[in-house]
Amino acid sequence: MSFRQADCPRHGACATGVGVGERLFTVTKRNQIEVYSWGKEGFDQKLPLPEQLKCLTVLHHPVPDIESPVSKPQYRVPWLLAGGSASGRIYIWELASGNLLCVKDAHYQPVSVLQFSSRGEYLVSAGDDGRVLIWRTQELINSYGVGDDLRSVKPYQSITDHTMPVTDILIGKGLSPDQRLYTGSRDGTLRIYDLSSRKLLTTLVLPSPVESFAVDPAGRSIYVGLESGIIRTVPLYHIDPHTSVLEAIGGNGKIITIEDDFNLTSSFVQHQQEAEAAVTALSISMDGMNIVSGDTRGRVFVSDVVTRQVVKAFPAANSPISVISVFPIPSKEKQLVLDKKHRLIPQLKRIMVSENPLEHSLHMEIPSKPQTEPSFDTWIETVANDEVSFKQMGAVSSTVRQSVATQPSTQSEELAKITTAYSELKQKHEQLLEKYTEMLE
């Protein structure tokens, strides 16, 4: 599947998933966001913006912990869309209504990358000013009583350890008390922080500026894409030669220097073929066995983690690779059939949402309660009850006798109702009897 004219800056695109009903959002140079629908090459919508954005990210609706018999809506619209601008502002929209929930002056220079945590508690922003800011999502979007002035909202944590533009960030998939934040910068360092304690755990010093990185799903290694075109494998655990015990590398603010790998024992060099190209995007498969990498020359490779050999090479694109995302392929049972109106989302507003919560309209599809098939015993009981009702109605005489009455029109109406009811019950009984006979056979 390909999307035409989806060129965008680094981190300027985000996808909601793979399959029918999913979307791709891309930033253009014309202060617009183009929305693509899965299965269609051209864009569906153009959403005007208040200013030029540099990066995008989406947050899906929170998933309740309790199970519910009610099925999910028949189309998927993410909850929030966040964008970082060239002026250093952060914008957050509610996609179901198009309301602008937040405009926050966050960085002194352009915002380079944004990312929500897995459960949406935090929004992490990084910029060319070298700063990394961690925000509480609830505080940013709670506009009621705050007004247009969001200066009172302070970041949960402000990180100023980097000395050059931050190129990539990643929030670990662990639980909230044990979540890790990874940040990479062109100053040649990759830093690991603990979100709950807000402490710096480890600093990795690489031999070249860091452009991108990916973390193993099990937290065993970090794959770092460098400006020189090399992808370095940095193990996070090693076996102590004296005790033969597996120990973690780093922690407690330790600084670890990664030396040049002249023997190429832990390096991927496919992006140095023909000419050096910086590795601008990295992602890893969910089983941790393959990494997908892209560079400034538009090349994309799938490499085996163990052998470091190229498994698949995609045709080169016409521009640098900006984003690489890996999604599971949905099963056929989960693929939905949608009509066109479900693919369209409201236009993004340019002014802040009203402070009055009563003016906030929530757009949501409430699905119907799933219908369950009755059991065989229930069906037999229903047939028996219908049969008893039919026998009771059979006692009514169907012979029409002409008599003189004071109100002939009223008697005729009552007789017509009785005749119609008798005919309907007789027809229903015959249908039920046929179904019952078929089941016995």
Side-chain angles (χ1 to χ4, degrees):
M1 180 62 204
S2 61
F3 301 99
R4 293 185 287 106
Q5 299 177 354
D7 190 16
C8 62
R10 286 191 62 182
H11 305 293
C14 57
T16 61
V18 175
V20 178
E22 303 294 355
R23 295 176 175 85
L24 172 68
F25 299 88
T26 62
V27 172
T28 66
K29 298 179 181 179
R30 301 178 180 178
N31 294 359
Q32 293 177 334
I33 292 178
E34 293 181 347
V35 184
Y36 295 81
S37 296
W38 183 263
K40 186 177 179 181
E41 291 187 353
F43 59 84
D44 273 346
Q45 293 178 267
K46 283 188 176 182
L47 307 178
L49 299 171
E51 64 173 306
Q52 178 66 42
L53 297 185
K54 292 293 185 181
C55 54
L56 288 176
T57 187
V58 293
L59 175 63
H60 289 274
H61 289 272
V63 179
D65 296 331
I66 59 175
E67 296 184 358
S68 174
V70 180
S71 59
K72 293 183 179 180
Q74 295 299 307
Y75 61 95
R76 295 179 286 271
V77 176
W79 179 27
L80 301 176
L81 173 67
S85 70
S87 64
R89 293 191 181 96
I90 296 176
Y91 292 84
I92 301 179
W93 288 274
E94 183 185 42
L95 283 176
S97 61
N99 289 335
L100 179 59
L101 304 181
C102 172
V103 180
K104 178 66 177 177
D105 290 318
H107 294 267
Y108 303 112
Q109 295 185 28
V111 182
S112 57
V113 56
L114 288 171
Q115 186 178 5
F116 284 104
S117 59
S118 58
R119 297 181 65 88
E121 303 100 326
Y122 303 105
L123 171 66
V124 182
S125 64
D128 290 347
D129 55 3
R131 299 198 306 162
V132 178
L133 304 178
I134 305 174
W135 309 87
R136 293 186 184 272
T137 306
Q138 183 179 3
E139 294 179 355
L140 289 177
I141 65 176
N142 186 18
S143 59
Y144 304 123
V146 178
D148 295 334
D149 188 4
L150 291 172
R151 288 177 294 181
S152 59
V153 178
K154 302 298 181 182
Y156 169 75
Q157 182 181 1
S158 178
I159 300 173
T160 58
D161 297 328
H162 292 291
T163 58
M164 294 187 69
V166 179
T167 54
D168 203 359
I169 58 176
L170 190 145
I171 304 176
K173 301 297 184 181
L175 300 177
S176 296
D178 194 33
Q179 271 192 324
R180 299 288 187 263
L181 171 64
Y182 305 82
T183 65
S185 171
R186 289 199 173 97
D187 60 8
T189 62
L190 192 151
R191 302 176 188 268
I192 306 174
Y193 299 87
D194 183 85
L195 277 180
S196 59
S197 64
R198 292 182 276 191
K199 293 182 179 179
L200 174 62
L201 300 179
T202 309
T203 300
L204 303 176
V205 181
L206 281 301
S208 179
V210 177
E211 293 290 336
S212 59
F213 60 87
V215 180
D216 180 83
R220 300 168 295 185
S221 303
I222 301 178
Y223 302 93
V224 186
L226 304 178
E227 187 181 47
S228 60
I230 294 178
I231 302 175
R232 287 295 302 269
T233 303
V234 180
L236 297 179
Y237 295 89
H238 74 106
I239 298 177
D240 191 303
H242 303 288
T243 61
S244 299
V245 176
L246 186 65
E247 297 180 348
I249 295 176
N252 298 322
K254 185 180 296 185
I255 300 175
I256 301 175
T257 302
I258 309 298
E259 303 292 342
D260 288 315
D261 184 20
F262 296 106
N263 296 326
L264 302 180
T265 57
S266 59
S267 301
F268 298 79
V269 296
Q270 56 267 27
H271 292 282
Q272 287 190 326
Q273 298 174 359
E274 299 179 2
E276 291 186 3
V279 183
T280 56
L282 264 177
S283 187
I284 190 168
S285 61
M286 295 187 176
D287 58 359
M289 297 305 297
N290 296 285
I291 60 172
V292 187
S293 56
D295 58 25
T296 54
R297 301 180 61 191
R299 297 176 299 177
V300 177
F301 299 101
V302 180
S303 306
D304 184 84
V305 168
V306 179
T307 63
R308 298 186 298 279
Q309 299 297 318
V310 176
V311 178
K312 182 178 178 61
F314 291 91
N318 297 326
S319 58
I321 303 299
S322 59
V323 178
I324 292 179
S325 301
V326 178
F327 296 98
I329 299 177
S331 60
K332 293 183 179 179
E333 290 78 7
K334 294 184 179 180
Q335 292 183 359
L336 307 177
V337 179
L338 312 176
D339 54 22
K340 186 174 181 180
K341 67 179 181 180
H342 289 163
R343 294 201 302 265
L344 301 180
I345 60 177
Q347 292 292 318
L348 303 181
K349 295 181 174 58
R350 300 191 180 192
I351 58 175
M352 287 286 294
V353 66
S354 172
E355 299 180 32
N356 184 6
L358 298 178
E359 297 181 6
H360 183 196
S361 299
L362 182 62
H363 300 266
M364 161 183 280
E365 178 187 1
I366 301 177
S368 60
K369 187 176 181 180
Q371 298 181 356
T372 57
E373 293 291 336
S375 62
F376 181 76
D377 295 336
T378 304
W379 184 84
I380 291 295
E381 184 179 357
T382 303
V383 173
N385 293 334
D386 292 340
E387 185 176 1
V388 172
S389 300
F390 178 77
K391 290 181 179 180
Q392 292 177 352
M393 289 297 299
V396 180
S397 176
S398 59
T399 305
V400 179
R401 298 180 180 179
Q402 185 176 2
S403 61
V404 180
T406 56
Q407 297 179 351
S409 60
T410 304
Q411 294 178 355
S412 300
E413 292 176 357
E414 292 178 353
L415 180 61
K417 290 181 180 179
I418 295 175
T419 305
T420 303
Y422 176 79
S423 301
E424 291 177 354
L425 286 173
K426 185 176 181 181
Q427 185 179 4
K428 186 175 182 180
H429 176 265
E430 292 175 354
Q431 293 176 354
L432 291 173
L433 185 62
E434 290 178 0
K435 291 184 179 179
Y436 181 71
T437 305
E438 292 177 0
M439 293 186 63
L440 293 178
E441 293 177 355

